[in-house]
Amino acid sequence: MSGYKGIQSNIVSFLAPLKLLIKICSILFAISILSLIAIDQGIAYYVRHDVYTDINKLPYRPYGLLLGTSKYFAKNTPNLFYVYRLEAAENLFKSGKVNHLLLSGDNRTLQYNEPRTMFKDLRQKGIEEEYLHMDFAGFRTLDSIIRAKEIFHATPMTIITQKFHCERALFIAKFNHIDAICYSAEYPKDYPMVRFREIFARALILWEIFTEKEPHFLGTPEPLPSPTQNTP
């Protein structure tokens, strides 16, 4: 009997710190989740007045910054995020809300070139070449936003992307004192995971700002035409 009690005592002694550890981990997990939600909603609230969904209420800006994404998902399935962004850019340009479009995206391989793809598709939509400008070093949203100002002098600007992406892009712009607003492209249905991943992307951008992360490439300025030049 004494042996059984000894085993019980050992088990209790083992479980006590384990329970405490589980409790601490649970508390830390809850704090992490609440922090992510707070960051996500805080960024959305901070930029809420600069996100537009109604093109008629959107103020004029000389430059539109179209943020790139892949044209296709796996197995050549069309990416509706891409489709709707280009439709938004076309509508802004043809309605005179912007005069020039800066197409910023990834250019990682000869086969994958977001700016070139956007350029070709916008040309097919009838937008003349002189109003389309490509940034091949827009590897991340941060790169695209800062390069738009520092390299292309594309300010004041209207950022063009989906609302969730607008909010993060505008937060970057505001932190870097860049004059920007955003026009929200349509959000495709049935893609909840994209919005879920955005929660972590917003936490990451705070870390990058805190650590003073800079674009991969800057280089020599290549200013876009002034608003009075090449205006359609």
Side-chain angles (χ1 to χ4, degrees):
M1 193 67 176
S2 60
Y4 176 73
K5 289 183 178 180
I7 293 174
Q8 278 187 317
S9 178
N10 290 336
I11 293 175
V12 170
S13 299
F14 172 76
L15 290 179
L18 182 60
K19 287 181 179 179
L20 178 60
L21 179 61
I22 292 173
K23 184 177 181 179
I24 293 173
C25 289
S26 298
I27 293 172
L28 291 176
F29 179 75
I31 292 173
S32 299
I33 295 298
L34 291 174
S35 297
L36 287 172
I37 294 173
I39 291 170
D40 179 74
Q41 294 302 304
I43 287 176
Y45 184 82
Y46 181 61
V47 302
R48 67 194 185 283
H49 296 306
D50 294 318
V51 179
Y52 292 82
T53 56
D54 185 345
I55 194 171
N56 296 312
K57 296 180 180 179
L58 181 74
Y60 162 80
R61 293 288 186 273
Y63 306 106
L65 173 62
L66 179 58
L67 297 180
T69 186
S70 58
K71 185 174 181 177
Y72 297 101
F73 288 130
K75 299 180 181 178
N76 289 328
T77 303
N79 179 358
L80 292 179
F81 289 92
Y82 175 90
V83 172
Y84 293 151
R85 288 184 199 182
L86 261 67
E87 287 180 357
E90 177 188 11
N91 291 337
L92 291 189
F93 180 83
K94 292 184 176 179
S95 63
K97 294 292 184 176
V98 298
N99 299 135
H100 294 270
L101 289 168
L102 177 59
L103 317 177
S104 182
D106 199 344
N107 176 33
R108 69 188 73 170
T109 67
L110 292 175
Q111 293 74 31
Y112 188 85
N113 189 318
E114 291 175 356
R116 179 63 65 183
T117 301
M118 291 189 289
F119 177 88
K120 291 179 179 178
D121 288 343
L122 288 170
R123 288 288 294 116
Q124 290 180 356
K125 291 178 178 292
I127 300 178
E128 293 85 350
E129 183 175 342
E130 59 262 38
Y131 307 120
L132 300 174
H133 315 273
M134 290 176 284
D135 178 11
F136 296 106
F139 302 114
R140 301 167 303 159
T141 304
L142 182 143
D143 296 60
S144 295
I145 299 299
I146 294 179
R147 284 178 54 83
K149 177 189 177 184
E150 299 296 333
I151 301 300
F152 297 97
H153 299 178
T155 57
M157 73 175 79
T158 295
I159 302 166
I160 306 163
T161 185
Q162 276 73 28
K163 184 174 183 290
F164 72 93
H165 197 192
C166 273
E167 293 169 345
R168 175 159 47 98
L170 282 171
F171 184 78
I172 296 169
K174 282 181 174 294
F175 184 84
N176 289 279
H177 309 291
I178 297 172
D179 185 357
I181 56 176
C182 191
Y183 181 63
S184 176
E186 183 178 348
Y187 187 96
K189 297 179 180 179
D190 303 323
Y191 290 97
M193 286 304 297
V194 174
R195 181 61 184 88
F196 178 74
R197 289 197 299 267
E198 176 65 17
I199 295 174
F200 297 95
R202 294 185 185 192
L204 177 61
I205 200 60
L206 275 185
W207 172 252
E208 291 184 339
I209 287 174
F210 177 76
T211 57
E212 300 181 347
K213 191 79 171 181
E214 295 184 352
H216 290 293
F217 301 107
L218 281 175
T220 306
E222 304 173 30
L224 299 188
S226 69
T228 58
Q229 294 177 305
N230 294 339
T231 302

